[in-house]
Amino acid sequence: MSSLSAASVETPAVTAGAAEQKPLKPCCACPETKKVRDACIIEKGEENCRDLIEAHKECMRALGFKI
């Protein structure tokens, strides 16, 4: 039960702290598009996943990354 409470309390603190103190790391940005992109590249090869690669790049750019 205490682990649930700690997780609930910790999540807002991490979000607030990340916004104020530490910038978002590229490895942690856009996990949804990253996961789909990586799975496609593994299964079909990079040349067949251009649309997913571009979607991930757009997401990263929207968060302020220069890609």
Side-chain angles (χ1 to χ4, degrees):
M1 181 84 89
S2 63
S3 63
L4 289 174
S5 297
S8 298
V9 172
E10 192 173 326
T11 302
V14 170
T15 304
E20 295 174 8
Q21 296 174 1
K22 296 180 182 179
L24 182 63
K25 295 179 182 180
C27 63
C28 302
C30 303
E32 300 85 13
T33 57
K34 183 178 181 180
K35 183 176 181 179
V36 175
R37 177 206 66 180
D38 290 350
C40 181
I41 292 171
I42 290 169
E43 294 173 13
K44 300 177 184 178
E46 186 175 338
E47 61 280 352
N48 297 314
C49 302
R50 298 283 179 209
D51 56 333
L52 295 174
I53 292 169
E54 285 305 312
H56 184 62
K57 286 181 180 179
E58 287 178 24
C59 181
M60 298 287 286
R61 288 183 191 118
L63 292 175
F65 292 99
K66 294 180 169 76
I67 296 178

Short mmCIF file of all heavy atoms in Angstrom, two decimals:
data_model
loop_
_atom_site.label_atom_id
_atom_site.label_comp_id
_atom_site.label_asym_id
_atom_site.label_seq_id
_atom_site.Cartn_x
_atom_site.Cartn_y
_atom_site.Cartn_z
N MET A 1 0.82 -1.18 0.00
CA MET A 1 0.00 0.00 0.00
C MET A 1 0.87 1.24 0.00
O MET A 1 0.58 2.18 -0.69
CB MET A 1 -0.94 -0.05 1.21
CG MET A 1 -1.87 1.13 1.29
SD MET A 1 -3.36 1.05 0.35
CE MET A 1 -4.56 0.31 1.33
N SER A 2 1.96 1.26 0.72
CA SER A 2 2.81 2.43 0.77
C SER A 2 3.48 2.69 -0.59
O SER A 2 3.75 3.81 -0.92
CB SER A 2 3.86 2.29 1.87
OG SER A 2 4.70 1.20 1.59
N SER A 3 3.74 1.62 -1.37
CA SER A 3 4.35 1.84 -2.68
C SER A 3 3.41 2.58 -3.61
O SER A 3 3.84 3.39 -4.42
CB SER A 3 4.79 0.51 -3.30
OG SER A 3 3.66 -0.31 -3.51
N LEU A 4 2.11 2.33 -3.49
CA LEU A 4 1.15 3.06 -4.30
C LEU A 4 1.13 4.53 -3.91
O LEU A 4 1.11 5.41 -4.76
CB LEU A 4 -0.25 2.48 -4.15
CG LEU A 4 -0.50 1.13 -4.80
CD1 LEU A 4 -1.89 0.62 -4.46
CD2 LEU A 4 -0.34 1.23 -6.31
N SER A 5 1.17 4.80 -2.64
CA SER A 5 1.17 6.18 -2.16
C SER A 5 2.44 6.89 -2.61
O SER A 5 2.39 8.03 -3.05
CB SER A 5 1.08 6.23 -0.64
OG SER A 5 -0.14 5.68 -0.21
N ALA A 6 3.56 6.22 -2.53
CA ALA A 6 4.82 6.83 -2.93
C ALA A 6 4.80 7.12 -4.43
O ALA A 6 5.24 8.18 -4.86
CB ALA A 6 5.98 5.92 -2.59
N ALA A 7 4.26 6.20 -5.23
CA ALA A 7 4.20 6.42 -6.66
C ALA A 7 3.28 7.58 -7.00
O ALA A 7 3.57 8.40 -7.85
CB ALA A 7 3.74 5.15 -7.37
N SER A 8 2.15 7.67 -6.31
CA SER A 8 1.21 8.75 -6.56
C SER A 8 1.80 10.10 -6.20
O SER A 8 1.62 11.08 -6.91
CB SER A 8 -0.07 8.53 -5.75
OG SER A 8 -0.69 7.33 -6.13
N VAL A 9 2.54 10.15 -5.12
CA VAL A 9 3.14 11.41 -4.68
C VAL A 9 4.33 11.76 -5.57
O VAL A 9 4.55 12.90 -5.90
CB VAL A 9 3.58 11.30 -3.20
CG1 VAL A 9 4.37 12.52 -2.79
CG2 VAL A 9 2.36 11.12 -2.31
N GLU A 10 5.07 10.75 -5.99
CA GLU A 10 6.29 10.98 -6.73
C GLU A 10 6.03 11.49 -8.15
O GLU A 10 6.75 12.34 -8.64
CB GLU A 10 7.08 9.67 -6.80
CG GLU A 10 8.49 9.86 -7.29
CD GLU A 10 9.29 8.58 -7.18
OE1 GLU A 10 9.05 7.81 -6.23
OE2 GLU A 10 10.13 8.37 -8.04
N THR A 11 5.00 11.02 -8.81
CA THR A 11 4.75 11.39 -10.20
C THR A 11 4.59 12.89 -10.40
O THR A 11 5.27 13.46 -11.22
CB THR A 11 3.52 10.62 -10.74
OG1 THR A 11 3.78 9.23 -10.60
CG2 THR A 11 3.27 10.94 -12.19
N PRO A 12 3.73 13.59 -9.63
CA PRO A 12 3.64 15.04 -9.83
C PRO A 12 4.94 15.76 -9.50
O PRO A 12 5.30 16.72 -10.16
CB PRO A 12 2.54 15.46 -8.86
CG PRO A 12 1.74 14.23 -8.62
CD PRO A 12 2.72 13.10 -8.72
N ALA A 13 5.67 15.28 -8.52
CA ALA A 13 6.92 15.92 -8.14
C ALA A 13 7.93 15.80 -9.28
O ALA A 13 8.65 16.74 -9.58
CB ALA A 13 7.48 15.30 -6.87
N VAL A 14 7.99 14.64 -9.92
CA VAL A 14 8.92 14.44 -11.03
C VAL A 14 8.52 15.34 -12.19
O VAL A 14 9.35 15.99 -12.80
CB VAL A 14 8.93 12.95 -11.46
CG1 VAL A 14 9.70 12.77 -12.75
CG2 VAL A 14 9.54 12.10 -10.36
N THR A 15 7.24 15.41 -12.48
CA THR A 15 6.77 16.25 -13.59
C THR A 15 7.08 17.71 -13.32
O THR A 15 7.61 18.41 -14.17
CB THR A 15 5.25 16.07 -13.79
OG1 THR A 15 4.99 14.68 -13.99
CG2 THR A 15 4.77 16.86 -14.98
N ALA A 16 6.78 18.20 -12.13
CA ALA A 16 7.03 19.60 -11.79
C ALA A 16 8.53 19.87 -11.75
O ALA A 16 9.00 20.88 -12.25
CB ALA A 16 6.39 19.94 -10.45
N GLY A 17 9.28 18.96 -11.18
CA GLY A 17 10.72 19.14 -11.08
C GLY A 17 11.38 19.12 -12.45
O GLY A 17 12.30 19.89 -12.71
N ALA A 18 10.91 18.27 -13.34
CA ALA A 18 11.49 18.18 -14.68
C ALA A 18 11.25 19.46 -15.45
O ALA A 18 12.12 19.93 -16.17
CB ALA A 18 10.91 16.98 -15.43
N ALA A 19 10.09 20.03 -15.29
CA ALA A 19 9.76 21.26 -16.01
C ALA A 19 10.56 22.44 -15.48
O ALA A 19 10.93 23.34 -16.24
CB ALA A 19 8.27 21.54 -15.89
N GLU A 20 10.85 22.45 -14.20
CA GLU A 20 11.54 23.59 -13.59
C GLU A 20 13.05 23.43 -13.55
O GLU A 20 13.77 24.40 -13.72
CB GLU A 20 11.01 23.80 -12.17
CG GLU A 20 9.56 24.20 -12.13
CD GLU A 20 9.02 24.26 -10.72
OE1 GLU A 20 9.82 24.14 -9.78
OE2 GLU A 20 7.81 24.41 -10.56
N GLN A 21 13.55 22.21 -13.32
CA GLN A 21 14.97 22.04 -13.07
C GLN A 21 15.71 21.37 -14.23
O GLN A 21 16.71 21.86 -14.69
CB GLN A 21 15.18 21.23 -11.80
CG GLN A 21 14.65 21.94 -10.58
CD GLN A 21 14.74 21.05 -9.34
OE1 GLN A 21 15.20 19.94 -9.41
NE2 GLN A 21 14.28 21.55 -8.22
N LYS A 22 15.22 20.23 -14.69
CA LYS A 22 15.94 19.47 -15.69
C LYS A 22 15.15 19.45 -17.00
O LYS A 22 13.95 19.21 -16.99
CB LYS A 22 16.13 18.03 -15.21
CG LYS A 22 16.98 17.90 -13.98
CD LYS A 22 17.13 16.46 -13.58
CE LYS A 22 17.95 16.33 -12.30
NZ LYS A 22 18.09 14.94 -11.89
N PRO A 23 15.81 19.68 -18.11
CA PRO A 23 15.11 19.60 -19.40
C PRO A 23 14.79 18.15 -19.75
O PRO A 23 15.46 17.23 -19.27
CB PRO A 23 16.12 20.20 -20.37
CG PRO A 23 17.45 20.02 -19.72
CD PRO A 23 17.18 20.08 -18.24
N LEU A 24 13.80 17.97 -20.57
CA LEU A 24 13.42 16.64 -21.01
C LEU A 24 14.52 16.06 -21.88
O LEU A 24 15.05 16.73 -22.76
CB LEU A 24 12.12 16.73 -21.82
CG LEU A 24 11.54 15.42 -22.34
CD1 LEU A 24 11.13 14.51 -21.18
CD2 LEU A 24 10.33 15.72 -23.21
N LYS A 25 14.89 14.82 -21.61
CA LYS A 25 15.93 14.16 -22.38
C LYS A 25 15.32 13.57 -23.65
O LYS A 25 14.19 13.08 -23.63
CB LYS A 25 16.57 13.05 -21.56
CG LYS A 25 17.31 13.54 -20.34
CD LYS A 25 17.89 12.38 -19.57
CE LYS A 25 18.59 12.85 -18.32
NZ LYS A 25 19.16 11.73 -17.56
N PRO A 26 16.05 13.56 -24.76
CA PRO A 26 15.53 13.00 -26.00
C PRO A 26 15.12 11.54 -25.88
O PRO A 26 14.15 11.12 -26.50
CB PRO A 26 16.70 13.15 -26.98
CG PRO A 26 17.53 14.25 -26.42
CD PRO A 26 17.35 14.18 -24.93
N CYS A 27 15.81 10.79 -25.04
CA CYS A 27 15.48 9.38 -24.88
C CYS A 27 14.12 9.16 -24.22
O CYS A 27 13.53 8.09 -24.37
CB CYS A 27 16.56 8.66 -24.09
SG CYS A 27 16.75 9.27 -22.40
N CYS A 28 13.65 10.17 -23.50
CA CYS A 28 12.38 10.04 -22.76
C CYS A 28 11.22 10.74 -23.46
O CYS A 28 10.08 10.62 -23.01
CB CYS A 28 12.55 10.61 -21.36
SG CYS A 28 13.86 9.82 -20.43
N ALA A 29 11.50 11.46 -24.51
CA ALA A 29 10.46 12.22 -25.21
C ALA A 29 9.72 11.32 -26.20
O ALA A 29 10.30 10.42 -26.79
CB ALA A 29 11.09 13.39 -25.95
N CYS A 30 8.45 11.55 -26.37
CA CYS A 30 7.61 10.89 -27.37
C CYS A 30 7.69 9.36 -27.31
O CYS A 30 7.97 8.71 -28.31
CB CYS A 30 7.96 11.38 -28.76
SG CYS A 30 7.82 13.16 -28.97
N PRO A 31 7.43 8.76 -26.16
CA PRO A 31 7.55 7.30 -26.07
C PRO A 31 6.59 6.54 -26.98
O PRO A 31 6.91 5.45 -27.44
CB PRO A 31 7.27 7.01 -24.60
CG PRO A 31 6.49 8.18 -24.11
CD PRO A 31 6.97 9.36 -24.92
N GLU A 32 5.41 7.11 -27.25
CA GLU A 32 4.44 6.42 -28.10
C GLU A 32 4.96 6.28 -29.53
O GLU A 32 4.93 5.18 -30.09
CB GLU A 32 3.09 7.17 -28.11
CG GLU A 32 2.45 7.31 -26.75
CD GLU A 32 2.96 8.51 -25.97
OE1 GLU A 32 3.63 9.39 -26.56
OE2 GLU A 32 2.70 8.58 -24.76
N THR A 33 5.42 7.38 -30.11
CA THR A 33 5.91 7.31 -31.49
C THR A 33 7.23 6.57 -31.57
O THR A 33 7.50 5.90 -32.57
CB THR A 33 6.06 8.72 -32.11
OG1 THR A 33 6.94 9.50 -31.30
CG2 THR A 33 4.72 9.42 -32.23
N LYS A 34 8.03 6.66 -30.54
CA LYS A 34 9.33 5.98 -30.53
C LYS A 34 9.14 4.46 -30.53
O LYS A 34 9.81 3.75 -31.28
CB LYS A 34 10.13 6.40 -29.30
CG LYS A 34 11.51 5.80 -29.24
CD LYS A 34 12.26 6.30 -28.03
CE LYS A 34 13.65 5.70 -27.97
NZ LYS A 34 14.41 6.17 -26.82
N LYS A 35 8.22 3.97 -29.71
CA LYS A 35 7.99 2.53 -29.61
C LYS A 35 7.51 1.95 -30.94
O LYS A 35 8.01 0.93 -31.40
CB LYS A 35 6.95 2.26 -28.51
CG LYS A 35 6.69 0.81 -28.26
CD LYS A 35 5.73 0.63 -27.10
CE LYS A 35 5.46 -0.84 -26.84
NZ LYS A 35 4.56 -1.04 -25.71
N VAL A 36 6.55 2.61 -31.57
CA VAL A 36 6.00 2.14 -32.85
C VAL A 36 7.07 2.21 -33.94
O VAL A 36 7.22 1.29 -34.73
CB VAL A 36 4.76 2.97 -33.24
CG1 VAL A 36 4.25 2.59 -34.61
CG2 VAL A 36 3.67 2.81 -32.20
N ARG A 37 7.83 3.31 -33.95
CA ARG A 37 8.90 3.47 -34.93
C ARG A 37 9.95 2.38 -34.80
O ARG A 37 10.33 1.74 -35.78
CB ARG A 37 9.55 4.84 -34.73
CG ARG A 37 10.73 5.11 -35.66
CD ARG A 37 11.69 6.09 -35.08
NE ARG A 37 12.33 5.55 -33.87
CZ ARG A 37 13.23 6.20 -33.15
NH1 ARG A 37 13.56 7.43 -33.49
NH2 ARG A 37 13.75 5.66 -32.09
N ASP A 38 10.40 2.13 -33.58
CA ASP A 38 11.43 1.13 -33.35
C ASP A 38 10.96 -0.27 -33.73
O ASP A 38 11.70 -1.04 -34.34
CB ASP A 38 11.89 1.15 -31.89
CG ASP A 38 12.67 2.40 -31.54
OD1 ASP A 38 13.03 3.17 -32.46
OD2 ASP A 38 12.92 2.62 -30.35
N ALA A 39 9.72 -0.60 -33.39
CA ALA A 39 9.18 -1.91 -33.74
C ALA A 39 9.11 -2.08 -35.26
O ALA A 39 9.45 -3.14 -35.79
CB ALA A 39 7.79 -2.10 -33.13
N CYS A 40 8.70 -1.05 -35.95
CA CYS A 40 8.63 -1.10 -37.40
C CYS A 40 10.01 -1.30 -38.02
O CYS A 40 10.18 -2.14 -38.90
CB CYS A 40 7.98 0.18 -37.94
SG CYS A 40 7.81 0.21 -39.75
N ILE A 41 10.99 -0.56 -37.53
CA ILE A 41 12.35 -0.67 -38.07
C ILE A 41 12.90 -2.08 -37.85
O ILE A 41 13.51 -2.65 -38.75
CB ILE A 41 13.28 0.39 -37.43
CG1 ILE A 41 12.87 1.78 -37.91
CG2 ILE A 41 14.74 0.11 -37.77
CD1 ILE A 41 13.56 2.93 -37.19
N ILE A 42 12.63 -2.65 -36.70
CA ILE A 42 13.12 -4.01 -36.41
C ILE A 42 12.44 -5.04 -37.32
O ILE A 42 13.09 -5.93 -37.85
CB ILE A 42 12.89 -4.37 -34.92
CG1 ILE A 42 13.83 -3.53 -34.05
CG2 ILE A 42 13.11 -5.86 -34.67
CD1 ILE A 42 13.52 -3.59 -32.57
N GLU A 43 11.13 -4.89 -37.51
CA GLU A 43 10.38 -5.87 -38.29
C GLU A 43 10.50 -5.69 -39.80
O GLU A 43 10.58 -6.68 -40.53
CB GLU A 43 8.90 -5.81 -37.90
CG GLU A 43 8.63 -6.24 -36.48
CD GLU A 43 7.18 -6.02 -36.06
OE1 GLU A 43 6.33 -5.76 -36.92
OE2 GLU A 43 6.93 -6.11 -34.84
N LYS A 44 10.53 -4.44 -40.27
CA LYS A 44 10.43 -4.18 -41.70
C LYS A 44 11.64 -3.49 -42.31
O LYS A 44 11.74 -3.40 -43.53
CB LYS A 44 9.20 -3.32 -41.98
CG LYS A 44 7.91 -3.96 -41.54
CD LYS A 44 6.74 -3.04 -41.78
CE LYS A 44 5.45 -3.63 -41.25
NZ LYS A 44 4.32 -2.72 -41.45
N GLY A 45 12.51 -2.95 -41.48
CA GLY A 45 13.65 -2.21 -41.98
C GLY A 45 13.35 -0.73 -42.08
O GLY A 45 12.21 -0.32 -42.30
N GLU A 46 14.39 0.08 -41.92
CA GLU A 46 14.24 1.53 -41.88
C GLU A 46 13.59 2.10 -43.13
O GLU A 46 12.75 3.01 -43.06
CB GLU A 46 15.62 2.16 -41.68
CG GLU A 46 15.61 3.65 -41.46
CD GLU A 46 16.97 4.22 -41.16
OE1 GLU A 46 17.86 3.48 -40.72
OE2 GLU A 46 17.14 5.43 -41.37
N GLU A 47 13.95 1.58 -44.29
CA GLU A 47 13.43 2.11 -45.54
C GLU A 47 11.91 1.95 -45.69
O GLU A 47 11.27 2.69 -46.43
CB GLU A 47 14.14 1.46 -46.75
CG GLU A 47 13.97 -0.05 -46.84
CD GLU A 47 14.90 -0.85 -45.93
OE1 GLU A 47 15.80 -0.28 -45.31
OE2 GLU A 47 14.68 -2.07 -45.84
N ASN A 48 11.31 1.04 -44.93
CA ASN A 48 9.86 0.81 -45.00
C ASN A 48 9.08 1.51 -43.88
O ASN A 48 7.88 1.30 -43.75
CB ASN A 48 9.58 -0.70 -44.94
CG ASN A 48 10.16 -1.42 -46.13
OD1 ASN A 48 10.01 -0.99 -47.27
ND2 ASN A 48 10.86 -2.51 -45.89
N CYS A 49 9.76 2.33 -43.11
CA CYS A 49 9.11 2.98 -41.96
C CYS A 49 9.29 4.49 -41.97
O CYS A 49 9.24 5.14 -40.93
CB CYS A 49 9.70 2.40 -40.66
SG CYS A 49 9.48 0.62 -40.53
N ARG A 50 9.47 5.05 -43.13
CA ARG A 50 9.72 6.50 -43.25
C ARG A 50 8.63 7.33 -42.60
O ARG A 50 8.91 8.33 -41.95
CB ARG A 50 9.88 6.90 -44.72
CG ARG A 50 11.04 6.25 -45.41
CD ARG A 50 12.34 6.90 -45.01
NE ARG A 50 13.44 6.22 -45.70
CZ ARG A 50 14.65 6.14 -45.22
NH1 ARG A 50 14.93 6.67 -44.07
NH2 ARG A 50 15.59 5.52 -45.88
N ASP A 51 7.35 6.95 -42.78
CA ASP A 51 6.25 7.73 -42.21
C ASP A 51 6.29 7.74 -40.69
O ASP A 51 6.05 8.77 -40.06
CB ASP A 51 4.90 7.22 -42.72
CG ASP A 51 4.67 5.74 -42.44
OD1 ASP A 51 5.66 4.98 -42.34
OD2 ASP A 51 3.49 5.34 -42.33
N LEU A 52 6.63 6.61 -40.08
CA LEU A 52 6.71 6.54 -38.61
C LEU A 52 7.94 7.29 -38.09
O LEU A 52 7.88 7.92 -37.03
CB LEU A 52 6.75 5.08 -38.15
CG LEU A 52 5.48 4.28 -38.45
CD1 LEU A 52 5.67 2.82 -38.09
CD2 LEU A 52 4.30 4.86 -37.71
N ILE A 53 9.01 7.25 -38.85
CA ILE A 53 10.22 7.99 -38.47
C ILE A 53 9.92 9.49 -38.50
O ILE A 53 10.27 10.23 -37.57
CB ILE A 53 11.39 7.63 -39.40
CG1 ILE A 53 11.81 6.17 -39.17
CG2 ILE A 53 12.58 8.58 -39.19
CD1 ILE A 53 12.78 5.62 -40.20
N GLU A 54 9.24 9.93 -39.54
CA GLU A 54 8.89 11.35 -39.65
C GLU A 54 7.91 11.77 -38.55
O GLU A 54 8.02 12.87 -38.02
CB GLU A 54 8.32 11.67 -41.03
CG GLU A 54 9.38 11.73 -42.11
CD GLU A 54 10.50 12.71 -41.79
OE1 GLU A 54 10.21 13.86 -41.40
OE2 GLU A 54 11.68 12.33 -41.94
N ALA A 55 6.96 10.90 -38.21
CA ALA A 55 6.01 11.21 -37.15
C ALA A 55 6.75 11.40 -35.82
O ALA A 55 6.43 12.31 -35.04
CB ALA A 55 4.96 10.11 -37.02
N HIS A 56 7.74 10.56 -35.56
CA HIS A 56 8.53 10.69 -34.33
C HIS A 56 9.34 11.99 -34.34
O HIS A 56 9.41 12.70 -33.33
CB HIS A 56 9.44 9.48 -34.14
CG HIS A 56 10.21 9.50 -32.86
ND1 HIS A 56 9.60 9.48 -31.63
CD2 HIS A 56 11.54 9.58 -32.61
CE1 HIS A 56 10.53 9.53 -30.68
NE2 HIS A 56 11.71 9.59 -31.26
N LYS A 57 9.91 12.32 -35.48
CA LYS A 57 10.67 13.57 -35.59
C LYS A 57 9.77 14.78 -35.34
O LYS A 57 10.17 15.73 -34.67
CB LYS A 57 11.32 13.68 -36.97
CG LYS A 57 12.51 12.77 -37.17
CD LYS A 57 13.08 12.99 -38.55
CE LYS A 57 14.27 12.11 -38.83
NZ LYS A 57 14.80 12.34 -40.19
N GLU A 58 8.56 14.75 -35.88
CA GLU A 58 7.61 15.85 -35.68
C GLU A 58 7.26 16.01 -34.20
O GLU A 58 7.17 17.11 -33.69
CB GLU A 58 6.36 15.63 -36.51
CG GLU A 58 6.56 15.84 -37.99
CD GLU A 58 5.31 15.56 -38.79
OE1 GLU A 58 4.19 15.64 -38.23
OE2 GLU A 58 5.44 15.25 -39.98
N CYS A 59 7.06 14.88 -33.53
CA CYS A 59 6.76 14.91 -32.09
C CYS A 59 7.93 15.52 -31.33
O CYS A 59 7.74 16.37 -30.46
CB CYS A 59 6.48 13.49 -31.60
SG CYS A 59 6.08 13.40 -29.84
N MET A 60 9.13 15.11 -31.67
CA MET A 60 10.33 15.65 -31.00
C MET A 60 10.46 17.15 -31.23
O MET A 60 10.76 17.90 -30.32
CB MET A 60 11.58 14.93 -31.51
CG MET A 60 11.62 13.43 -31.23
SD MET A 60 11.93 13.05 -29.52
CE MET A 60 13.66 13.43 -29.43
N ARG A 61 10.22 17.58 -32.46
CA ARG A 61 10.29 19.01 -32.79
C ARG A 61 9.26 19.79 -32.01
O ARG A 61 9.52 20.91 -31.56
CB ARG A 61 10.11 19.22 -34.28
CG ARG A 61 11.29 18.78 -35.11
CD ARG A 61 11.09 19.07 -36.59
NE ARG A 61 12.12 18.42 -37.36
CZ ARG A 61 11.89 17.49 -38.28
NH1 ARG A 61 10.65 17.09 -38.56
NH2 ARG A 61 12.88 16.94 -38.93
N ALA A 62 8.06 19.21 -31.86
CA ALA A 62 6.99 19.89 -31.12
C ALA A 62 7.38 20.11 -29.66
O ALA A 62 6.90 21.04 -29.02
CB ALA A 62 5.70 19.06 -31.21
N LEU A 63 8.26 19.26 -29.13
CA LEU A 63 8.73 19.41 -27.76
C LEU A 63 9.97 20.30 -27.66
O LEU A 63 10.52 20.48 -26.58
CB LEU A 63 9.03 18.03 -27.16
CG LEU A 63 7.80 17.14 -26.94
CD1 LEU A 63 8.23 15.76 -26.46
CD2 LEU A 63 6.84 17.77 -25.96
N GLY A 64 10.42 20.81 -28.80
CA GLY A 64 11.54 21.74 -28.78
C GLY A 64 12.89 21.18 -29.16
O GLY A 64 13.89 21.88 -29.10
N PHE A 65 12.94 19.92 -29.56
CA PHE A 65 14.21 19.32 -29.98
C PHE A 65 14.49 19.72 -31.41
O PHE A 65 13.59 19.78 -32.24
CB PHE A 65 14.18 17.79 -29.84
CG PHE A 65 14.11 17.34 -28.42
CD1 PHE A 65 12.90 16.97 -27.85
CD2 PHE A 65 15.26 17.29 -27.65
CE1 PHE A 65 12.84 16.56 -26.53
CE2 PHE A 65 15.20 16.88 -26.31
CZ PHE A 65 13.98 16.52 -25.76
N LYS A 66 15.74 19.98 -31.71
CA LYS A 66 16.13 20.36 -33.07
C LYS A 66 16.65 19.13 -33.80
O LYS A 66 17.79 18.73 -33.65
CB LYS A 66 17.21 21.44 -33.00
CG LYS A 66 16.69 22.73 -32.42
CD LYS A 66 17.77 23.78 -32.36
CE LYS A 66 17.26 25.11 -32.05
NZ LYS A 66 16.86 25.57 -30.87
N ILE A 67 15.74 18.56 -34.60
CA ILE A 67 16.08 17.34 -35.34
C ILE A 67 15.91 17.61 -36.81
O ILE A 67 14.96 18.16 -37.26
CB ILE A 67 15.16 16.19 -34.90
CG1 ILE A 67 15.40 15.88 -33.44
CG2 ILE A 67 15.37 14.98 -35.76
CD1 ILE A 67 14.55 14.79 -32.87
#
